[in-house]
Amino acid sequence: MQSEKQSISRGKKILQSILDATLVPFLAIFTAVVIGGVIIKMVGGNPFEAYMGLIEGSLGSKKALSETAIWATPYIFAGLAVALGFKGGLFNIGAEGQLAVGAVFSALIGYALPQWLGYDLPAIVHIPLAVLFGMLMGGLWAGIVGALKAYTGGHEVINTIMMNYIALNTTSFLLNGIMKDPSPTNVIARTPLIAESARIPPIFDGLRVHWGFVLALLIAFLVWWVLNKTTLGFEIRTVGLNPDAAKYAGINVKRTIILTMALSGMLAGLAGSIEVTGLNYRHELGFSIGYGYDAIAIALLGKSHPLGVVLAAFLFAAMRNGATRMQFLTQLPVDLISMLQALILLFVAADAIVRYIYRIKSRGERVVLTRGWGG
Amino acid sequence: MTETPHTLSDEIVLEARGITKQFPGVLANDNINFDLRKGEIHALLGENGAGKSTLMNLIYGLHNPDKGEIFVNGKPAVINSPNDSIKLGIGMVHQHFMLIPVFTVAENIMLGDETVKNGMLDQKTVAAKITDLSSQYGLEVDPTSLVGQLPVGTQQRVEIVKTLYRDAKIVILDEPTAVLTPQEADDLFRIMRDLTARGVSIIFITHKLKEVLAIADRITVMRAGKTVGTVLPKNTTSEKLATMMVGREVNLVIIKKQAVPKEAMLTVKDLHVDDVRDYPAVRGVSFEVRAGEVLGIAGVQGNGQTELAEALSGLRATKKGHVTLADKDITGKTPRVITEAGLANIPEDRQRHGLVLSYSISDNMALCDYYHEPFSKHGVLQPKALDENARKLISAFDVRTPSSFVSAGKLSGGNQQKVIVARELSRSVKLVIASQPTRGLDVGSIEYIHGEIIKMRDRDVAVLLISAELDEILALSDRIAVMYRGQIVTIVDAKKATREQLGLWMAGAHVQAA
C-alpha cells in the first residue's frame, strides 16, 4: 500500500519534472520561430517558404539527415562538456580552446604516429589512440583551469577565456609552423591528412555521417549515467549544488572541481578529435566555427540534461544545415539562422519572459550556472 | 519588566475580520479575527507554518486575502501593496533584514523615499531627521556608518528607525529575536516599551514562550491557520501556551536520568583556531567530553563556538593544539576521516552545511555515507537501499513528508532539522557535536530533538552541545563550559549552575577562585 502510493507519487513527480524541464525550452523555440517569422516578413521574405526550406534542407532527404547528424556530432560533445561543468557548478567557457587542443593532438597522432613508428597501425588501434589522446589532452587543458580554481580560487570563467586565447593562438602557430602540411601546393594553415588507419569510417556508403555520431549518442548516455547513478556523479552534483554541504559530507571538494573540469575538457576535446578523425581527416585553422560557444547555448537550451543537450544539438545542427537550402529557396541571408538561435537562447536564458507571455508559474529551484563570482 | 501590566487603551488601530487565505494545498489563514489596540504589544504566537507570517503579509500588502476585511483606525482599508500599508502608517521589520550592506544607515533609511535637493540626495536633512528620531525613541544609530559593519542588533534598530521614518504608527516585528543575543534581545524589549509609551502599536510575531510572557500585553495563539485564542500574560503560563500552540501537552522540562560518564571520548588540548578573516577565534581551549555525558558550551554568539565546532569536525583548519577522538589523533584531519572515526555532526547552519536543498530526502539521508555499502556498490549508487534507509528513518524520526522523494528544500525548518538529526544519529557514532540544534524550531520539534540527544547520551555516546540558548544548555547538559572571547572561562557541574551566574560569565565576569 505504502510502496504503491510512493511509486505513484514518484511516477507523477518524474512526469512533472519532465514537463517542467521541457515546457520553457519548447515555448522559447516556438516564440523565437514566431518572432523570426515576423522579421522575415518585414524584410520582404515569406516566412513559410523560409521555414519549409529550413526543414527540407535539414531533414528532407537522406543526405540532408546525414549532414544534420554531422553538424550535431561536435555540438553534442561540446554541449555535454558545458552541461557537465554546469552540473558541477562550473561555467566552462573554454570548450572552444579544449576542442582545438583535442583536434591538434588527434591530428598529430593521426598523421605522425606511423612515421615515428616506421610502420602502419591497424585501424582498431590507431583510431582509439588518436581519439583518446586528443580527448585526454583536452581534459588536461581544462584540468589546469580546475586546479587554478581549486587551489587559488581563480575564477574558471576568466581562466577558460584566457586559456582559449592560448590554445587558439598556439594552434595557429603550430599549423603555420612545424605541423603545417608540407605538400608544395599547400598555402593553408593545416596539418597533413591523417593516415587511412586513423579515420573513423562512415556508417553508410555514399553518406558522410560516421560512427563518431553514434559515439556521441553513447557518450551522452554515459554522461547521464555517471552523473545520476554513480557516487562520482553524486559528488560532482553535490559540489555543484552546495560546496559547503559537500565539504561537510566529507567530499574532497578541490579534487572534485579539478575532476569535473577535466571531464568537461575531455568531452570538449572529443568534439575536436572526432571532427578530425571522422570528418575532415586533418586539422585546419578555423574549422571550428564557434562550436565551443554554441555549446553554451546548447547546454542552456538542454537545461544541462544529457538528453536535452542531444535534442538541442539536433535543433542547432538542423538550423545550421538547413540554412543553405533556405537561402537558395528564398534568397534570405544565412545570418537569419544566427538571429533565430540568439532569440531562442534569449528566451531560454531570460525564461521570465516566456513564463510571463504564457502565464506559467515558476516551480522549483533555479539552475545554478556558476557561483563564487568575485567572492 | 515592572511596567508590563499597564492599562490597555480601548482605541483599536488595526482590525482584521474573517481573513481567509488559501495557498495551493494549504489553507494558510482560516477565518482569522485579530485586533490591535493603540500603544499595545500584541504577540502573535504559533509554531512554524501556523499562518502567522501569512496573516502579517496580508496586513502588510504582500498578499491579498481571499476573504475578509482589514480596518485601520476604524476605516476599511484597501491594501494591495506595501506602499498602501506604509501610507496607512503600517511598518514591518522582516526576519531577514531588507538592508543594503554597502549603503550607509541614512541611505538605507531613505531608500524608496529619498529626500532630494537640486537633483542630489540630501544626506544632511535625512541624517538630522534620523538623529531626531533616534533621540526621541531612544534608538541610537549613527546615520553615517555602513550597515554591513554594524552588529545584527543595530541593523535591526536601523530597520525599526526606517519604519518610524515613514511615520509608522503600527509596527510589525517578525521573529525579531531569532537573530539576537540575549543582551540584544533585552535591548529590543526596552525599545519596544519606549515605542508603545509614545503611542506606537506593535505586533510581535514569535514562537518563544518566555519572550511573550515577558513583553506582551496580549497574546494571540495560532495553530494550523486558525486562531486558538487570545489571552493575557497574567492569566497564563508557558505550559498552557505550549499546549495551545501544539494542540497537545508538551514536556517543556526534559526528564533524564543521572548521567553515568565513562572514559574520555573527545580530548581537546590547547586548541587554537582562526576565523574567516584569519583573526584568532579559539584561543587555547582544553576540555574533554566523556562517553555518556553531555558537555554544554554556553556563550554569546561570536565567542568562538562556531569556529570550535568547525575545527573539531574538520571544516576549518586548526592552528595549534591536539584533538583526539576515541584515542585517534584527529587534529587537522579531513571531515571524512573524522566522520569515519565516529563523529556525528549536527551543523549550526543546516541549509548551508547540513543539506543539499534540491536533493530528495533519500539522498540527504545518505549525504555522509553515500559511498559505503549498501548505498553504493563498486561506485554505483543503489537507489533501493537509499530509499529503504530514508523510509526507515522518516518513520523512526517522525519526519513529516508526503514521501522520501520530496526535496529537502520543500520541508519546514523543523523537518529539515529532523532529516539531519536522523542521518547523523542513526549512524554508529562515538561523539555527537550538536551546534544550535534547535535554532528557529517550533516547540514540538525542540522537544523531539532534545529527547534524541539525551537518548544518545544514555547509549554511552559523548555529546558536545553548543547553543546560544541558555535554557537549552541548562536543560540538557551534565557539565557546562562557558566560552568567552575564544577561551573557556570555566567548566561547572550543571546541577550547581544558575542562569544568573552563567550569564555573568558569558558577559566576561571573572571566575572567583574556589
Short mmCIF file of all heavy atoms in Angstrom, two decimals, chain B residues 258-294:
data_model
loop_
_atom_site.label_atom_id
_atom_site.label_comp_id
_atom_site.label_asym_id
_atom_site.label_seq_id
_atom_site.Cartn_x
_atom_site.Cartn_y
_atom_site.Cartn_z
N GLN B 258 20.19 10.35 35.80
CA GLN B 258 21.53 10.78 36.17
C GLN B 258 22.53 10.22 35.15
O GLN B 258 22.45 9.07 34.76
CB GLN B 258 21.83 10.23 37.58
CG GLN B 258 23.23 10.43 38.06
CD GLN B 258 23.52 11.90 38.34
OE1 GLN B 258 22.65 12.65 38.80
NE2 GLN B 258 24.74 12.32 38.02
N ALA B 259 23.43 11.07 34.67
CA ALA B 259 24.41 10.61 33.68
C ALA B 259 25.42 9.68 34.33
O ALA B 259 25.74 9.81 35.52
CB ALA B 259 25.13 11.80 33.09
N VAL B 260 25.87 8.69 33.56
CA VAL B 260 26.92 7.79 34.05
C VAL B 260 28.12 7.92 33.11
O VAL B 260 28.29 7.14 32.19
CB VAL B 260 26.42 6.33 34.05
CG1 VAL B 260 27.36 5.47 34.87
CG2 VAL B 260 25.00 6.22 34.56
N PRO B 261 28.95 8.95 33.33
CA PRO B 261 30.07 9.18 32.40
C PRO B 261 31.10 8.07 32.48
O PRO B 261 31.41 7.57 33.56
CB PRO B 261 30.67 10.50 32.89
CG PRO B 261 29.67 11.07 33.84
CD PRO B 261 28.90 9.94 34.40
N LYS B 262 31.59 7.68 31.31
CA LYS B 262 32.62 6.64 31.23
C LYS B 262 33.95 7.30 30.83
O LYS B 262 34.24 8.42 31.24
CB LYS B 262 32.19 5.60 30.19
CG LYS B 262 30.80 5.05 30.44
CD LYS B 262 30.86 3.60 30.87
CE LYS B 262 29.58 3.14 31.56
NZ LYS B 262 28.32 3.47 30.90
N GLU B 263 34.70 6.59 29.96
CA GLU B 263 36.03 7.09 29.59
C GLU B 263 35.92 8.35 28.72
O GLU B 263 34.90 8.59 28.10
CB GLU B 263 36.81 5.98 28.86
CG GLU B 263 36.38 5.71 27.43
CD GLU B 263 35.12 4.85 27.30
OE1 GLU B 263 34.47 4.59 28.34
OE2 GLU B 263 34.77 4.47 26.18
N ALA B 264 37.01 9.11 28.67
CA ALA B 264 37.05 10.31 27.84
C ALA B 264 37.00 9.91 26.37
O ALA B 264 37.75 9.06 25.92
CB ALA B 264 38.31 11.10 28.13
N MET B 265 36.06 10.51 25.63
CA MET B 265 35.90 10.16 24.23
C MET B 265 36.56 11.22 23.34
O MET B 265 37.27 10.92 22.41
CB MET B 265 34.40 10.07 23.93
CG MET B 265 34.07 9.26 22.70
SD MET B 265 34.81 7.62 22.72
CE MET B 265 33.46 6.64 23.30
N LEU B 266 36.29 12.49 23.68
CA LEU B 266 36.90 13.59 22.93
C LEU B 266 37.83 14.35 23.87
O LEU B 266 37.42 14.74 24.96
CB LEU B 266 35.82 14.54 22.40
CG LEU B 266 36.34 15.80 21.71
CD1 LEU B 266 36.86 15.48 20.32
CD2 LEU B 266 35.25 16.86 21.61
N THR B 267 39.07 14.48 23.46
CA THR B 267 40.02 15.25 24.27
C THR B 267 40.58 16.38 23.42
O THR B 267 41.12 16.15 22.34
CB THR B 267 41.17 14.36 24.76
OG1 THR B 267 40.60 13.16 25.29
CG2 THR B 267 41.97 15.06 25.84
N VAL B 268 40.41 17.59 23.91
CA VAL B 268 40.90 18.77 23.19
C VAL B 268 41.97 19.42 24.05
O VAL B 268 41.74 19.68 25.24
CB VAL B 268 39.75 19.77 22.93
CG1 VAL B 268 40.27 21.01 22.22
CG2 VAL B 268 38.65 19.11 22.12
N LYS B 269 43.16 19.63 23.45
CA LYS B 269 44.25 20.21 24.23
C LYS B 269 44.78 21.47 23.57
O LYS B 269 45.26 21.40 22.44
CB LYS B 269 45.38 19.18 24.37
CG LYS B 269 45.20 18.30 25.60
CD LYS B 269 46.43 17.46 25.85
CE LYS B 269 46.08 16.32 26.81
NZ LYS B 269 46.67 15.06 26.39
N ASP B 270 44.68 22.58 24.24
CA ASP B 270 45.27 23.85 23.82
C ASP B 270 44.97 24.16 22.34
O ASP B 270 45.87 24.45 21.56
CB ASP B 270 46.79 23.81 24.05
CG ASP B 270 47.41 25.21 23.88
OD1 ASP B 270 46.70 26.19 24.20
OD2 ASP B 270 48.55 25.29 23.42
N LEU B 271 43.71 24.12 22.00
CA LEU B 271 43.31 24.30 20.60
C LEU B 271 43.25 25.78 20.22
O LEU B 271 42.67 26.59 20.96
CB LEU B 271 41.95 23.65 20.36
CG LEU B 271 41.47 23.61 18.91
CD1 LEU B 271 42.30 22.64 18.09
CD2 LEU B 271 40.00 23.23 18.85
N HIS B 272 43.87 26.12 19.10
CA HIS B 272 43.81 27.47 18.55
C HIS B 272 43.23 27.40 17.14
O HIS B 272 43.69 26.61 16.33
CB HIS B 272 45.21 28.09 18.47
CG HIS B 272 45.78 28.42 19.81
ND1 HIS B 272 45.83 29.69 20.31
CD2 HIS B 272 46.30 27.62 20.77
CE1 HIS B 272 46.38 29.68 21.51
NE2 HIS B 272 46.68 28.43 21.81
N VAL B 273 42.24 28.24 16.86
CA VAL B 273 41.62 28.26 15.54
C VAL B 273 41.41 29.71 15.12
O VAL B 273 41.03 30.55 15.94
CB VAL B 273 40.24 27.53 15.56
CG1 VAL B 273 39.69 27.43 14.14
CG2 VAL B 273 40.34 26.17 16.19
N ASP B 274 41.62 29.99 13.82
CA ASP B 274 41.36 31.34 13.30
C ASP B 274 39.98 31.39 12.65
O ASP B 274 39.46 30.38 12.19
CB ASP B 274 42.41 31.71 12.25
CG ASP B 274 43.74 32.07 12.90
OD1 ASP B 274 43.78 32.14 14.15
OD2 ASP B 274 44.73 32.25 12.16
N ASP B 275 39.41 32.58 12.58
CA ASP B 275 38.13 32.73 11.91
C ASP B 275 38.32 33.02 10.42
O ASP B 275 39.45 32.97 9.91
CB ASP B 275 37.26 33.80 12.60
CG ASP B 275 37.82 35.20 12.43
OD1 ASP B 275 38.79 35.38 11.68
OD2 ASP B 275 37.30 36.12 13.08
N VAL B 276 37.22 33.32 9.74
CA VAL B 276 37.26 33.52 8.28
C VAL B 276 38.27 34.59 7.89
O VAL B 276 38.93 34.50 6.86
CB VAL B 276 35.85 33.96 7.77
CG1 VAL B 276 35.80 33.91 6.25
CG2 VAL B 276 34.78 33.09 8.36
N ARG B 277 38.38 35.63 8.71
CA ARG B 277 39.29 36.73 8.35
C ARG B 277 40.69 36.54 8.89
O ARG B 277 41.48 37.47 8.95
CB ARG B 277 38.69 38.04 8.88
CG ARG B 277 37.35 38.40 8.27
CD ARG B 277 36.61 39.37 9.16
NE ARG B 277 36.47 38.83 10.52
CZ ARG B 277 36.14 39.54 11.58
NH1 ARG B 277 35.96 40.82 11.48
NH2 ARG B 277 36.01 38.96 12.76
N ASP B 278 40.98 35.30 9.36
CA ASP B 278 42.29 34.96 9.89
C ASP B 278 42.61 35.64 11.22
O ASP B 278 43.77 35.82 11.57
CB ASP B 278 43.42 35.27 8.88
CG ASP B 278 43.36 34.34 7.69
OD1 ASP B 278 42.89 33.20 7.88
OD2 ASP B 278 43.76 34.74 6.60
N TYR B 279 41.58 36.04 11.95
CA TYR B 279 41.82 36.52 13.32
C TYR B 279 41.62 35.35 14.26
O TYR B 279 40.79 34.49 14.01
CB TYR B 279 40.84 37.64 13.68
CG TYR B 279 41.10 38.93 12.93
CD1 TYR B 279 40.14 39.46 12.08
CD2 TYR B 279 42.31 39.60 13.09
CE1 TYR B 279 40.38 40.65 11.39
CE2 TYR B 279 42.56 40.78 12.40
CZ TYR B 279 41.59 41.30 11.56
OH TYR B 279 41.83 42.46 10.88
N PRO B 280 42.36 35.31 15.38
CA PRO B 280 42.17 34.20 16.31
C PRO B 280 40.74 34.19 16.85
O PRO B 280 40.26 35.21 17.33
CB PRO B 280 43.18 34.49 17.44
CG PRO B 280 44.05 35.58 16.96
CD PRO B 280 43.37 36.26 15.82
N ALA B 281 40.08 33.04 16.75
CA ALA B 281 38.71 32.92 17.25
C ALA B 281 38.66 31.99 18.45
O ALA B 281 37.94 32.23 19.42
CB ALA B 281 37.79 32.42 16.15
N VAL B 282 39.42 30.90 18.38
CA VAL B 282 39.54 29.99 19.52
C VAL B 282 40.97 30.12 20.00
O VAL B 282 41.91 29.94 19.23
CB VAL B 282 39.22 28.54 19.11
CG1 VAL B 282 39.41 27.60 20.29
CG2 VAL B 282 37.82 28.44 18.55
N ARG B 283 41.13 30.48 21.30
CA ARG B 283 42.46 30.81 21.77
C ARG B 283 42.86 29.94 22.95
O ARG B 283 42.68 30.30 24.10
CB ARG B 283 42.51 32.29 22.16
CG ARG B 283 42.10 33.21 20.98
CD ARG B 283 42.20 34.65 21.34
NE ARG B 283 41.37 34.98 22.50
CZ ARG B 283 41.64 35.98 23.33
NH1 ARG B 283 42.70 36.73 23.15
NH2 ARG B 283 40.83 36.23 24.34
N GLY B 284 43.34 28.75 22.63
CA GLY B 284 43.86 27.88 23.69
C GLY B 284 42.78 27.24 24.52
O GLY B 284 42.67 27.49 25.72
N VAL B 285 41.98 26.41 23.88
CA VAL B 285 40.89 25.75 24.59
C VAL B 285 41.25 24.30 24.90
O VAL B 285 41.78 23.60 24.04
CB VAL B 285 39.60 25.82 23.73
CG1 VAL B 285 38.62 24.75 24.14
CG2 VAL B 285 38.98 27.20 23.83
N SER B 286 41.00 23.87 26.13
CA SER B 286 41.23 22.47 26.52
C SER B 286 40.03 21.96 27.28
O SER B 286 39.52 22.64 28.16
CB SER B 286 42.47 22.33 27.41
OG SER B 286 43.60 22.85 26.76
N PHE B 287 39.55 20.78 26.90
CA PHE B 287 38.48 20.14 27.67
C PHE B 287 38.35 18.70 27.19
O PHE B 287 39.00 18.30 26.22
CB PHE B 287 37.15 20.88 27.49
CG PHE B 287 36.63 20.91 26.07
CD1 PHE B 287 35.80 19.89 25.60
CD2 PHE B 287 36.97 21.94 25.21
CE1 PHE B 287 35.32 19.92 24.30
CE2 PHE B 287 36.49 21.96 23.89
CZ PHE B 287 35.67 20.95 23.44
N GLU B 288 37.56 17.92 27.92
CA GLU B 288 37.25 16.59 27.41
C GLU B 288 35.77 16.31 27.57
O GLU B 288 35.10 16.87 28.43
CB GLU B 288 38.10 15.53 28.10
CG GLU B 288 37.96 15.49 29.60
CD GLU B 288 38.76 14.34 30.22
OE1 GLU B 288 39.89 14.10 29.78
OE2 GLU B 288 38.21 13.69 31.13
N VAL B 289 35.26 15.47 26.67
CA VAL B 289 33.88 15.01 26.78
C VAL B 289 33.93 13.51 26.94
O VAL B 289 34.59 12.81 26.17
CB VAL B 289 33.06 15.36 25.51
CG1 VAL B 289 31.59 15.08 25.77
CG2 VAL B 289 33.26 16.80 25.11
N ARG B 290 33.25 13.02 27.99
CA ARG B 290 33.30 11.59 28.26
C ARG B 290 32.10 10.87 27.66
O ARG B 290 31.04 11.46 27.43
CB ARG B 290 33.37 11.35 29.77
CG ARG B 290 34.77 11.60 30.32
CD ARG B 290 34.81 11.48 31.81
NE ARG B 290 34.31 12.70 32.44
CZ ARG B 290 34.09 12.82 33.74
NH1 ARG B 290 34.29 11.79 34.54
NH2 ARG B 290 33.66 13.94 34.24
N ALA B 291 32.28 9.60 27.40
CA ALA B 291 31.17 8.78 26.91
C ALA B 291 30.05 8.83 27.93
O ALA B 291 30.29 8.70 29.13
CB ALA B 291 31.64 7.35 26.70
N GLY B 292 28.83 9.04 27.47
CA GLY B 292 27.69 9.03 28.38
C GLY B 292 27.44 10.33 29.09
O GLY B 292 26.73 10.36 30.09
N GLU B 293 28.01 11.44 28.62
CA GLU B 293 27.68 12.73 29.22
C GLU B 293 27.45 13.77 28.12
O GLU B 293 27.90 13.62 26.99
CB GLU B 293 28.78 13.21 30.17
CG GLU B 293 30.02 13.70 29.45
CD GLU B 293 30.92 14.59 30.32
OE1 GLU B 293 30.53 14.95 31.43
OE2 GLU B 293 32.03 14.91 29.84
N VAL B 294 26.71 14.82 28.53
CA VAL B 294 26.53 15.96 27.64
C VAL B 294 27.34 17.12 28.20
O VAL B 294 27.10 17.54 29.33
CB VAL B 294 25.04 16.37 27.54
CG1 VAL B 294 24.90 17.61 26.66
CG2 VAL B 294 24.20 15.23 27.00
#
